Amino acid sequence: MLGGLGAGIVALQGCSSQAGGAPGSQPAGLTAESLTVASTARPDPVSIEQVHSPARGTPVDLVTIRPANAASARLPVCLALHGRSANAKVFLDLGVPEALNAVTAAGAKPFAVVSVDGGDSYWVAKTPSDDPQKMLTDDLPAWLVNRGFATTPFAVLGISMGAYGALNYARNPGLNAVAAISGALFESWPEARSRNAFSNEAEWEATEPLRHVDAIKADRLGVWCGESDPFVNQARRLIDLAHPRVSDISAGGHTDTYWRRILPDVLRFVADALP
């Protein structure tokens, strides 16, 4: 499944990125965990690290994908949120490093894609001690700046359950692009309850993107879904309600094959939103 990435990814397991700033430039309150030694060397295009998330109460994988030959300057970041039963490394399997290289080689300004393990609770807090959305808002900024990135992502993309999380994360100010791919959205509580991911109906009501479309800026939104996807009706409803800048309902299902095909278009949409 990893194709040509296989050997390189295995070699990178457990490696740490090189931080871009001097230790004295770290924000107050950061711990020694996950800090790395500053270096003038060009960072590896792909890095997989394990860091501790206070918000989730557990170690998580942090995956950073830079364009090949990108300088170690403070790259802007697109956050990538995985689907259910997946993890941060799925974006390597789906060919994001190659797609990112192609987009930047075609003339886009360089940016990085960063993903992190979010569990299976639709990127919301199923329990107070495990809150993946809080991880994104509270833990992630320090992880980014420690590795020489811009502190706050300029864009977010999510696949399936990750699209649910991305549309919730989009309520935070400062994003220039939000890409919802094959969004696992729900039009009723019985549908959502069947996923056993939400503590109660009130939590689902508070986080269901279809119930909070007004919080999503239409001119920054892109929606992709396959015609054979079980969530295609929800994608069409999101498009009807939100009027996104980009909407693409095309051949394909809720499958890796479909996601590999459309991810280059998604990354071009993200690149167009670079400030």
Side-chain angles (χ1 to χ4, degrees):
M1 192 173 182
L2 298 181
L5 285 172
I9 293 172
V10 171
L12 286 166
Q13 294 279 3
C15 293
S16 291
S17 309
Q18 308 252 324
S25 66
Q26 304 303 333
L30 297 187
T31 67
E33 185 277 320
S34 83
L35 294 182
T36 52
V37 178
S39 171
T40 57
R42 193 182 302 278
D44 289 328
V46 175
S47 176
I48 304 170
E49 304 174 67
Q50 192 169 85
V51 294
H52 180 75
S53 167
R56 293 205 59 212
T58 188
V60 296
D61 278 347
L62 178 71
V63 176
T64 60
I65 305 169
R66 294 174 171 86
N69 300 316
S72 58
R74 193 169 289 266
L75 287 173
V77 165
C78 174
L79 178 62
L81 306 185
H82 63 77
R84 199 171 194 191
S85 302
N87 56 47
K89 290 179 280 193
V90 72
F91 294 100
L92 305 179
D93 301 354
L94 293 175
V96 168
E98 295 88 346
L100 185 61
N101 286 341
V103 168
T104 53
K109 293 180 182 178
F111 64 97
V113 175
V114 174
S115 59
V116 64
D117 291 342
D120 284 336
S121 66
Y122 280 73
W123 296 90
V124 300
K126 191 174 182 182
T127 66
S129 60
D130 186 354
D131 189 338
Q133 196 70 213
K134 185 177 180 181
M135 173 182 66
L136 300 180
T137 58
D138 292 11
D139 300 343
L140 181 68
W143 296 341
L144 294 180
V145 76
N146 289 345
R147 287 151 184 83
F149 296 117
T151 307
T152 305
F154 79 96
V156 62
L157 67 87
I159 296 176
S160 188
M161 179 191 80
Y164 191 108
L167 291 166
N168 274 280
Y169 184 74
R171 300 189 199 186
N172 298 299
L175 289 175
N176 291 351
V178 179
I181 305 166
S182 305
L185 310 181
F186 307 101
E187 297 192 77
S188 71
W189 169 236
E191 289 179 272
R193 183 174 53 196
S194 70
R195 297 294 165 136
N196 193 32
F198 304 97
S199 299
N200 50 53
E201 185 174 0
E203 182 186 59
W204 169 71
E205 288 273 4
T207 59
E208 171 56 57
L210 292 175
R211 302 294 176 100
H212 301 278
V213 172
D214 291 346
I216 306 167
K217 295 185 182 298
D219 62 342
R220 301 178 185 183
L221 177 63
V223 178
W224 287 259
C225 194
E227 292 174 339
S228 303
D229 194 299
F231 292 103
V232 69
N233 289 337
Q234 288 90 324
R236 289 191 171 111
R237 179 156 178 76
L238 178 61
I239 290 166
D240 289 343
L241 292 173
H243 308 290
R245 182 157 65 89
V246 172
S247 58
D248 184 343
I249 306 294
S250 58
H254 206 82
T255 64
D256 289 1
T257 300
Y258 171 75
W259 298 326
R260 286 192 191 97
R261 179 170 67 79
I262 58 95
L263 271 168
D265 290 338
V266 173
L267 292 178
R268 280 189 285 270
F269 164 79
V270 168
D272 287 345
L274 276 164

mmCIF file of all heavy atoms in Angstrom, residues 42-69:
data_model
loop_
_atom_site.group_PDB
_atom_site.id
_atom_site.type_symbol
_atom_site.label_atom_id
_atom_site.label_comp_id
_atom_site.label_asym_id
_atom_site.label_seq_id
_atom_site.Cartn_x
_atom_site.Cartn_y
_atom_site.Cartn_z
ATOM 1 N N ARG A 42 18.874 20.877 6.244
ATOM 2 C CA ARG A 42 17.539 20.793 5.660
ATOM 3 C C ARG A 42 16.783 19.638 6.308
ATOM 4 O O ARG A 42 17.282 18.528 6.380
ATOM 5 C CB ARG A 42 17.647 20.561 4.154
ATOM 6 C CG ARG A 42 16.337 20.773 3.408
ATOM 7 C CD ARG A 42 16.514 20.479 1.922
ATOM 8 N NE ARG A 42 17.553 21.305 1.323
ATOM 9 C CZ ARG A 42 17.381 22.551 0.910
ATOM 10 N NH1 ARG A 42 16.218 23.132 1.073
ATOM 11 N NH2 ARG A 42 18.370 23.216 0.374
ATOM 12 N N PRO A 43 15.553 19.873 6.807
ATOM 13 C CA PRO A 43 14.805 18.786 7.457
ATOM 14 C C PRO A 43 14.435 17.704 6.455
ATOM 15 O O PRO A 43 14.327 17.942 5.253
ATOM 16 C CB PRO A 43 13.544 19.499 7.991
ATOM 17 C CG PRO A 43 13.854 20.955 7.931
ATOM 18 C CD PRO A 43 14.825 21.140 6.824
ATOM 19 N N ASP A 44 14.240 16.493 6.959
ATOM 20 C CA ASP A 44 13.763 15.420 6.108
ATOM 21 C C ASP A 44 12.368 15.760 5.588
ATOM 22 O O ASP A 44 11.551 16.334 6.317
ATOM 23 C CB ASP A 44 13.701 14.103 6.886
ATOM 24 C CG ASP A 44 15.076 13.548 7.194
ATOM 25 O OD1 ASP A 44 15.985 13.761 6.376
ATOM 26 O OD2 ASP A 44 15.221 12.909 8.244
ATOM 27 N N PRO A 45 12.054 15.388 4.338
ATOM 28 C CA PRO A 45 10.717 15.673 3.815
ATOM 29 C C PRO A 45 9.595 15.025 4.632
ATOM 30 O O PRO A 45 8.519 15.582 4.745
ATOM 31 C CB PRO A 45 10.768 15.103 2.396
ATOM 32 C CG PRO A 45 12.212 15.135 2.027
ATOM 33 C CD PRO A 45 12.943 14.841 3.306
ATOM 34 N N VAL A 46 9.853 13.836 5.187
ATOM 35 C CA VAL A 46 8.844 13.148 5.994
ATOM 36 C C VAL A 46 9.448 12.798 7.344
ATOM 37 O O VAL A 46 10.551 12.259 7.423
ATOM 38 C CB VAL A 46 8.345 11.859 5.300
ATOM 39 C CG1 VAL A 46 7.382 11.099 6.219
ATOM 40 C CG2 VAL A 46 7.655 12.175 3.978
ATOM 41 N N SER A 47 8.737 13.130 8.408
ATOM 42 C CA SER A 47 9.185 12.775 9.748
ATOM 43 C C SER A 47 8.015 12.207 10.533
ATOM 44 O O SER A 47 6.896 12.719 10.454
ATOM 45 C CB SER A 47 9.742 14.017 10.466
ATOM 46 O OG SER A 47 10.094 13.705 11.800
ATOM 47 N N ILE A 48 8.269 11.129 11.281
ATOM 48 C CA ILE A 48 7.264 10.518 12.151
ATOM 49 C C ILE A 48 7.829 10.512 13.561
ATOM 50 O O ILE A 48 8.895 9.954 13.806
ATOM 51 C CB ILE A 48 6.944 9.072 11.712
ATOM 52 C CG1 ILE A 48 6.500 9.028 10.251
ATOM 53 C CG2 ILE A 48 5.860 8.468 12.615
ATOM 54 C CD1 ILE A 48 6.403 7.619 9.687
ATOM 55 N N GLU A 49 7.119 11.160 14.474
ATOM 56 C CA GLU A 49 7.555 11.245 15.862
ATOM 57 C C GLU A 49 6.420 10.810 16.782
ATOM 58 O O GLU A 49 5.255 10.867 16.411
ATOM 59 C CB GLU A 49 7.927 12.675 16.232
ATOM 60 C CG GLU A 49 8.970 13.325 15.366
ATOM 61 C CD GLU A 49 9.127 14.778 15.749
ATOM 62 O OE1 GLU A 49 9.595 15.042 16.875
ATOM 63 O OE2 GLU A 49 8.756 15.644 14.940
ATOM 64 N N GLN A 50 6.772 10.431 17.989
ATOM 65 C CA GLN A 50 5.772 10.209 19.026
ATOM 66 C C GLN A 50 5.929 11.298 20.075
ATOM 67 O O GLN A 50 7.015 11.523 20.595
ATOM 68 C CB GLN A 50 5.906 8.829 19.660
ATOM 69 C CG GLN A 50 4.704 8.467 20.526
ATOM 70 C CD GLN A 50 4.712 7.004 20.950
ATOM 71 O OE1 GLN A 50 5.337 6.668 21.943
ATOM 72 N NE2 GLN A 50 4.033 6.163 20.205
ATOM 73 N N VAL A 51 4.825 11.994 20.351
ATOM 74 C CA VAL A 51 4.810 13.070 21.340
ATOM 75 C C VAL A 51 3.672 12.793 22.316
ATOM 76 O O VAL A 51 2.725 12.069 22.006
ATOM 77 C CB VAL A 51 4.621 14.452 20.674
ATOM 78 C CG1 VAL A 51 5.818 14.813 19.809
ATOM 79 C CG2 VAL A 51 3.344 14.489 19.845
ATOM 80 N N HIS A 52 3.771 13.383 23.510
ATOM 81 C CA HIS A 52 2.712 13.199 24.500
ATOM 82 C C HIS A 52 1.695 14.327 24.371
ATOM 83 O O HIS A 52 2.052 15.507 24.342
ATOM 84 C CB HIS A 52 3.272 13.188 25.918
ATOM 85 C CG HIS A 52 2.202 13.003 26.956
ATOM 86 N ND1 HIS A 52 1.589 11.792 27.197
ATOM 87 C CD2 HIS A 52 1.598 13.906 27.780
ATOM 88 C CE1 HIS A 52 0.682 11.935 28.142
ATOM 89 N NE2 HIS A 52 0.665 13.218 28.515
ATOM 90 N N SER A 53 0.417 13.959 24.289
ATOM 91 C CA SER A 53 -0.656 14.945 24.223
ATOM 92 C C SER A 53 -1.326 15.060 25.588
ATOM 93 O O SER A 53 -2.044 14.141 26.006
ATOM 94 C CB SER A 53 -1.699 14.542 23.174
ATOM 95 O OG SER A 53 -2.870 15.320 23.313
ATOM 96 N N PRO A 54 -1.134 16.167 26.309
ATOM 97 C CA PRO A 54 -1.867 16.353 27.561
ATOM 98 C C PRO A 54 -3.379 16.343 27.356
ATOM 99 O O PRO A 54 -4.121 15.826 28.202
ATOM 100 C CB PRO A 54 -1.374 17.718 28.052
ATOM 101 C CG PRO A 54 -0.015 17.873 27.444
ATOM 102 C CD PRO A 54 -0.134 17.239 26.095
ATOM 103 N N ALA A 55 -3.846 16.893 26.247
ATOM 104 C CA ALA A 55 -5.295 16.962 26.016
ATOM 105 C C ALA A 55 -5.904 15.587 25.808
ATOM 106 O O ALA A 55 -7.057 15.345 26.200
ATOM 107 C CB ALA A 55 -5.590 17.851 24.809
ATOM 108 N N ARG A 56 -5.142 14.671 25.213
ATOM 109 C CA ARG A 56 -5.637 13.308 24.997
ATOM 110 C C ARG A 56 -5.174 12.354 26.085
ATOM 111 O O ARG A 56 -5.659 11.218 26.153
ATOM 112 C CB ARG A 56 -5.209 12.781 23.623
ATOM 113 C CG ARG A 56 -5.852 13.506 22.429
ATOM 114 C CD ARG A 56 -5.888 12.607 21.202
ATOM 115 N NE ARG A 56 -6.636 11.399 21.501
ATOM 116 C CZ ARG A 56 -6.389 10.199 20.956
ATOM 117 N NH1 ARG A 56 -5.397 10.059 20.092
ATOM 118 N NH2 ARG A 56 -7.101 9.152 21.285
ATOM 119 N N GLY A 57 -4.199 12.772 26.877
ATOM 120 C CA GLY A 57 -3.711 11.916 27.949
ATOM 121 C C GLY A 57 -2.990 10.687 27.469
ATOM 122 O O GLY A 57 -2.988 9.655 28.153
ATOM 123 N N THR A 58 -2.326 10.785 26.316
ATOM 124 C CA THR A 58 -1.668 9.612 25.735
ATOM 125 C C THR A 58 -0.609 10.048 24.735
ATOM 126 O O THR A 58 -0.693 11.158 24.184
ATOM 127 C CB THR A 58 -2.705 8.715 25.036
ATOM 128 O OG1 THR A 58 -2.085 7.482 24.624
ATOM 129 C CG2 THR A 58 -3.305 9.388 23.813
ATOM 130 N N PRO A 59 0.390 9.199 24.461
ATOM 131 C CA PRO A 59 1.309 9.491 23.366
ATOM 132 C C PRO A 59 0.583 9.367 22.024
ATOM 133 O O PRO A 59 -0.296 8.514 21.859
ATOM 134 C CB PRO A 59 2.394 8.422 23.497
ATOM 135 C CG PRO A 59 2.245 7.876 24.875
ATOM 136 C CD PRO A 59 0.796 7.990 25.214
ATOM 137 N N VAL A 60 0.948 10.211 21.067
ATOM 138 C CA VAL A 60 0.355 10.183 19.734
ATOM 139 C C VAL A 60 1.461 10.318 18.696
ATOM 140 O O VAL A 60 2.522 10.882 18.973
ATOM 141 C CB VAL A 60 -0.674 11.318 19.545
ATOM 142 C CG1 VAL A 60 -1.858 11.145 20.490
ATOM 143 C CG2 VAL A 60 -0.034 12.684 19.738
ATOM 144 N N ASP A 61 1.213 9.797 17.515
ATOM 145 C CA ASP A 61 2.138 10.006 16.401
ATOM 146 C C ASP A 61 1.881 11.369 15.783
ATOM 147 O O ASP A 61 0.729 11.775 15.561
ATOM 148 C CB ASP A 61 1.954 8.932 15.332
ATOM 149 C CG ASP A 61 2.678 7.641 15.664
ATOM 150 O OD1 ASP A 61 3.518 7.644 16.589
ATOM 151 O OD2 ASP A 61 2.406 6.612 15.010
ATOM 152 N N LEU A 62 2.965 12.073 15.498
ATOM 153 C CA LEU A 62 2.939 13.357 14.807
ATOM 154 C C LEU A 62 3.715 13.180 13.507
ATOM 155 O O LEU A 62 4.901 12.845 13.525
ATOM 156 C CB LEU A 62 3.581 14.440 15.680
ATOM 157 C CG LEU A 62 3.673 15.846 15.084
ATOM 158 C CD1 LEU A 62 2.299 16.494 15.013
ATOM 159 C CD2 LEU A 62 4.621 16.719 15.918
ATOM 160 N N VAL A 63 3.048 13.380 12.384
ATOM 161 C CA VAL A 63 3.657 13.186 11.070
ATOM 162 C C VAL A 63 3.764 14.536 10.380
ATOM 163 O O VAL A 63 2.776 15.275 10.278
ATOM 164 C CB VAL A 63 2.822 12.221 10.206
ATOM 165 C CG1 VAL A 63 3.414 12.100 8.804
ATOM 166 C CG2 VAL A 63 2.744 10.848 10.867
ATOM 167 N N THR A 64 4.961 14.868 9.922
ATOM 168 C CA THR A 64 5.167 16.112 9.180
ATOM 169 C C THR A 64 5.660 15.773 7.780
ATOM 170 O O THR A 64 6.545 14.933 7.603
ATOM 171 C CB THR A 64 6.177 17.035 9.885
ATOM 172 O OG1 THR A 64 7.447 16.366 9.994
ATOM 173 C CG2 THR A 64 5.691 17.399 11.275
ATOM 174 N N ILE A 65 5.060 16.400 6.797
ATOM 175 C CA ILE A 65 5.396 16.183 5.389
ATOM 176 C C ILE A 65 5.745 17.533 4.779
ATOM 177 O O ILE A 65 4.899 18.421 4.679
ATOM 178 C CB ILE A 65 4.218 15.548 4.622
ATOM 179 C CG1 ILE A 65 3.757 14.256 5.304
ATOM 180 C CG2 ILE A 65 4.606 15.279 3.170
ATOM 181 C CD1 ILE A 65 2.444 13.708 4.762
ATOM 182 N N ARG A 66 7.002 17.692 4.394
ATOM 183 C CA ARG A 66 7.467 18.903 3.735
ATOM 184 C C ARG A 66 7.674 18.605 2.256
ATOM 185 O O ARG A 66 7.969 17.475 1.875
ATOM 186 C CB ARG A 66 8.799 19.374 4.326
ATOM 187 C CG ARG A 66 8.750 19.838 5.775
ATOM 188 C CD ARG A 66 10.171 20.128 6.250
ATOM 189 N NE ARG A 66 10.226 20.782 7.547
ATOM 190 C CZ ARG A 66 10.222 20.131 8.707
ATOM 191 N NH1 ARG A 66 10.146 18.806 8.726
ATOM 192 N NH2 ARG A 66 10.288 20.802 9.842
ATOM 193 N N PRO A 67 7.594 19.626 1.406
ATOM 194 C CA PRO A 67 7.987 19.403 0.013
ATOM 195 C C PRO A 67 9.468 19.045 -0.055
ATOM 196 O O PRO A 67 10.273 19.535 0.740
ATOM 197 C CB PRO A 67 7.716 20.757 -0.658
ATOM 198 C CG PRO A 67 6.844 21.508 0.286
ATOM 199 C CD PRO A 67 7.167 21.004 1.661
ATOM 200 N N ALA A 68 9.830 18.193 -0.984
ATOM 201 C CA ALA A 68 11.241 17.864 -1.170
ATOM 202 C C ALA A 68 12.019 19.137 -1.488
ATOM 203 O O ALA A 68 11.541 20.007 -2.229
ATOM 204 C CB ALA A 68 11.399 16.853 -2.303
ATOM 205 N N ASN A 69 13.191 19.259 -0.891
ATOM 206 C CA ASN A 69 14.088 20.391 -1.114
ATOM 207 C C ASN A 69 13.567 21.706 -0.546
ATOM 208 O O ASN A 69 14.096 22.765 -0.863
ATOM 209 C CB ASN A 69 14.396 20.567 -2.613
ATOM 210 C CG ASN A 69 15.049 19.341 -3.210
ATOM 211 O OD1 ASN A 69 15.944 18.757 -2.609
ATOM 212 N ND2 ASN A 69 14.590 18.933 -4.395
#
